[in-house]
Amino acid sequence: MHFPSLLAGLVACPIVFAAPKPVSHSNTLSKRCTNSASDRSCWGDYDTSTNYYTTVPDTGVTREYWFDVQNGTASPDGIERVVLTVNGTVPGPTIIADWGDTVVVHVSNSMSNNGTGIHFHGVRQNYTNQMDGVPSITQCPIAPGDSFTYTWRATQYGSSWYHSHFSVQAWDGVFGGITINGPATADYDEDLGNLFLNDWSHETADVLALQAAASGPPTMPNCLINGTNVYTDTTTEVETGSRFEQTFVAGTKYRIRLVNGAADTHFRFTIDNHTMEVIAMDFVPIVPYNATDISIGMGQRYDIIVTASETSGDYWMRAIPQESCSDNDNVDNILGIVRYDSTSTADPTTTAYTTTDSCDDEAIASLVPYLSYDVSSTYDVENDEEVSLAIATGGVLWEMAGTSFVSEWNYPTVLQVAESNDTWSTDQHVVQLATADQWVYFVIETTFAQAHPIHLHGHDFWVLASGTGTYSTSTTLTTTNSPRRDVAMLPASGFLVIAMYTDNPGAWLMHCHIAWHTAEGFALQLLERESEMTALMDVTSINSTCANWDTYQTDDDVVQDDSGV
Ligand SMILES: *[C@@H]1O[C@H](CO)[C@@H](O)[C@H](O)[C@H]1NC(C)=O
Ligand SMILES: *[C@@H]1O[C@H](CO)[C@@H](O)[C@H](O)[C@H]1NC(C)=O
Ligand SMILES: *[C@@H]1O[C@H](CO)[C@@H](O)[C@H](O)[C@H]1NC(C)=O
Ligand SMILES: *[C@@H]1O[C@H](CO)[C@@H](O)[C@H](O)[C@H]1NC(C)=O
Ligand SMILES: *[C@@H]1O[C@H](CO)[C@@H](O)[C@H](O)[C@H]1NC(C)=O
Ligand SMILES: *[C@@H]1O[C@H](CO)[C@@H](O)[C@H](O)[C@H]1NC(C)=O
Ligand SMILES: *[C@@H]1O[C@H](CO)[C@@H](O)[C@H](O)[C@H]1NC(C)=O
Ligand SMILES: *[C@@H]1O[C@H](CO)[C@@H](O)[C@H](O)[C@H]1NC(C)=O
Ligand SMILES: *[C@@H]1O[C@H](CO)[C@@H](O)[C@H](O)[C@H]1NC(C)=O
Ligand SMILES: [Cu+2]
């Protein structure tokens, strides 16, 4: 078995399904069950208790997508501006696959003035590090006119998003949803798909990033719910744009896949007079819990089931920027509408649930993974990363353990590894994890009064502790089935302790998911089992992307003015 120490901690969830299911890779002709509105727990021969870290259905199916990254204009809130998109829309096309499918995405760069690279956020990329889409780490940027094909296996199921990892391009519109169909921990009738929460400016993200570096994060003028919202011009008072609307049929249970795709906005999501049953955090199914509002940080996802519990009327759907960490000029007006009568055009008159403004994660006690996994209470490697802010000549820089991250677009980590060049610069902030199957604890702390969403590539991590104040050896660590996910909040003036297991060779980024902070160097990279990496790579492909990028960068005098990620 691949994970002896993990399997030792595996117990069947006591709440819904008692019996552990057989672990099998065989393709049988008769399926054990049918996934339907009255039983979402099963998935052919597999179900929600299948250990998806070791077992994946063998579907034999490949889903192929062609993405064209373009420069254009759009008016998501009625104000036209330059946008960068996948295939012309914000959000771009949704990647839809079944658990176990192989996903192939051919990305062409049709922009004239930017490189690109598409990261499939939260996708584990099991032994496929080179498909992680991070320029300067796993590839050179895709030059204008060039293309790159990403191939990966959907070993997890649930909800996520893909986005550009080149500079701050994602926040000009280069993103879209990922839905991986699989079993669920509660039943529902209809899947409404991904629902994006974004912040939105009428200036491009590059301009905002420059402002952020020079004088701190800009106040965002607006936000979007699934790519749309209204906006009232401050001088003319004219309202433009339109709201996101959803029609409910009384009694129906809807699954919604919430994604926070914002550059710098922490949201609280709520629908007046409706309760949400939360069934997954990031790519991890959880024991369901009910909530009237959900706190969702940048890069995080929550899958919710909303029962159409009313019979008539119109209700506000609210994405409330949390002012503890996210300033917005339109804070009370990031609203969608749930209607029971699709012909209604009335604005709802409903009242919001009372909520507390904060940028903390949902309570750890609520986030109980359905597939229970314990963490070793002793670690093999411990790493401390104190987060701080520095002011340099170029502007604001974020540091982890005193280092502001910089990696070069034209010399990605994978190429350096392939060339057996073991001279790592301080700025590359490499954390070497050379040994397989080890437990690694990261203590991430800050004395600065700002919360940060911490994201790790290539892994789900376990949240062992988080809180305000200082981490000390007397801080209690939860190692029994702690929340497992790929983005967790580091509280303002606080600490976050996470654990991971070295089961996936590659160069994996860990970074703050606030757009400006990533650009300003709040990142590090794990070099996990470096000695195994080259054998897993297609060096010819790395070289050809880099050769095209080098030509473009030289001919167009492109200057890298950020962290490279
Ligand atoms: C991950 O890849 C390794 C190496 O190919 C393989 O042994 C393992 O079964 C894979 N895990 C999953 C969940 O597919
Ligand atoms: C995106 O655009 C490309 C190129 O025009 C096209 O081939 C492809 O079908 C489009 N993909 C989707 C998912 O819309
Ligand atoms: C997009 O088009 C605008 C207007 O033509 C141009 O200024 C900008 O450089 C272009 N951006 C990219 C990334 O190609
Ligand atoms: C990307 O394009 C934008 C304009 O759309 C431009 O401001 C920016 O400098 C470009 N970045 C790079 C690194 O080429
Ligand atoms: C949000 O937009 C995406 C992409 O257009 C679409 O697939 C999805 O169904 C929309 N979500 C909802 C809840 O309507
Ligand atoms: C919605 O909930 C509020 C209390 O939060 C209640 O006063 C109101 O009657 C409810 N409205 C409807 C239409 O059910
Ligand atoms: C959530 O509330 C719904 C509606 O009242 C109920 O059917 C469901 O069992 C509740 N779920 C949990 C986990 O309490
Ligand atoms: C080795 O890597 C370092 C750090 O990226 C770089 O500065 C150096 O030029 C590389 N050496 C060679 C011979 O390419
Ligand atoms: C890739 O380029 C490097 C130089 O950067 C070279 O040493 C290596 O032989 C090339 N590998 C392939 C497979 O083309
Ligand atoms: Cu940050």
Side-chain angles (χ1 to χ4, degrees), residues 74-83 171-172 199-205 207-208 211 219-224 229-234 238 240-241 328-330:
S75 320
D77 60 359
I79 307 293
E80 190 179 80
R81 51 158 281 192
V82 168
V83 290
W171 297 281
D172 281 325
D199 45 17
W200 195 247
S201 171
H202 305 122
E203 310 217 59
T204 62
V207 171
L208 301 180
Q211 286 174 18
T219 298
M220 298 299 260
N222 204 1
C223 296
L224 307 176
N229 196 23
V230 297
Y231 179 73
T232 304
D233 186 281
T234 42
V238 172
T240 53
N328 195 284
D329 291 332
N330 205 18

Side-chain angles (χ1 to χ4, degrees), residues 46-61:
Y46 304 87
D47 63 27
T48 41
S49 43
T50 303
N51 180 352
Y52 51 86
Y53 294 103
T54 58
T55 305
V56 181
D58 189 359
T59 61
V61 172

Side-chain angles (χ1 to χ4, degrees), residues 398 450-453 512-514 517-518 522:
W398 284 92
Q450 181 179 9
H452 303 269
C512 171
H513 220 286
I514 293 176
H517 295 185
T518 316
F522 190 156

Side-chain angles (χ1 to χ4, degrees), residues 152-444:
W152 46 269
R153 185 101 187 273
T155 63
Q156 306 134 290
Y157 54 88
S159 310
S160 197
W161 59 314
Y162 61 84
H163 62 79
S164 170
H165 224 295
F166 179 82
S167 188
V168 287
Q169 192 176 79
W171 297 281
D172 281 325
V174 184
F175 67 89
I178 299 178
T179 289
I180 310 293
N181 296 309
T185 56
D187 298 335
Y188 55 89
D189 300 303
E190 218 181 297
D191 188 345
L192 297 179
N194 298 70
L195 184 77
F196 272 96
L197 310 179
N198 288 84
D199 45 17
W200 195 247
S201 171
H202 305 122
E203 310 217 59
T204 62
D206 278 287
V207 171
L208 301 180
L210 288 174
Q211 286 174 18
S215 51
T219 298
M220 298 299 260
N222 204 1
C223 296
L224 307 176
I225 298 183
N226 225 29
T228 188
N229 196 23
V230 297
Y231 179 73
T232 304
D233 186 281
T234 42
T235 42
T236 63
E237 308 231 318
V238 172
E239 186 182 271
T240 53
S242 59
R243 296 189 190 282
F244 175 80
E245 295 194 9
Q246 187 72 59
T247 303
F248 275 7
V249 173
T252 305
K253 286 171 182 273
Y254 297 98
R255 177 179 186 156
I256 297 177
R257 301 162 180 271
L258 289 176
V259 181
N260 183 338
D264 190 9
T265 302
H266 189 110
F267 287 103
R268 197 166 288 279
F269 183 82
T270 165
I271 303 173
D272 295 353
N273 292 81
H274 291 77
T275 301
M276 303 174 275
E277 189 169 25
V278 187
I279 61 166
M281 57 175 152
D282 301 345
F283 266 131
V284 176
I286 60 174
V287 177
Y289 72 96
N290 278 342
T292 50
D293 69 90
I294 300 171
S295 167
I296 179 167
M298 282 144 273
Q300 292 185 325
R301 291 86 68 207
Y302 283 102
D303 283 40
I304 57 173
I305 295 170
V306 184
T307 301
S309 52
E310 302 293 323
T311 50
S312 62
D314 304 292
Y315 301 84
W316 290 122
M317 170 187 280
R318 303 171 192 267
I320 310 167
Q322 297 298 284
E323 293 179 280
S324 310
C325 64
S326 316
D327 287 334
N328 195 284
D329 291 332
N330 205 18
V331 69
D332 297 321
N333 201 16
I334 318 302
L335 303 171
I337 302 175
V338 167
R339 302 193 186 282
Y340 281 74
D341 172 358
S342 64
T343 63
S344 167
T345 53
D347 270 355
T349 53
T350 53
T351 308
Y353 287 108
T354 304
T355 61
T356 305
D357 188 289
S358 104
C359 300
D360 294 332
D361 267 328
E362 290 285 287
I364 283 186
S366 300
L367 302 177
V368 180
Y370 183 80
L371 178 74
S372 183
Y373 248 45
D374 295 346
V375 174
S376 164
S377 57
T378 56
Y379 51 77
D380 304 299
V381 179
E382 205 246 351
N383 183 288
D384 286 300
E385 297 290 339
E386 173 78 28
V387 171
S388 56
L389 187 65
I391 308 296
T393 29
V396 171
L397 291 177
W398 284 92
E399 297 179 341
M400 297 184 83
T403 296
S404 188
F405 184 87
V406 183
S407 184
E408 301 298 331
W409 282 330
N410 62 1
Y411 196 49
T413 305
V414 287
L415 183 55
Q416 186 169 335
V417 169
E419 290 179 355
S420 305
N421 172 359
D422 245 324
T423 306
W424 301 98
S425 73
T426 308
D427 293 351
Q428 286 175 293
H429 205 153
V430 166
V431 176
Q432 287 278 1
L433 300 174
T435 312
D437 302 336
Q438 291 207 310
W439 284 103
V440 184
Y441 284 16
F442 285 94
V443 177
I444 305 163

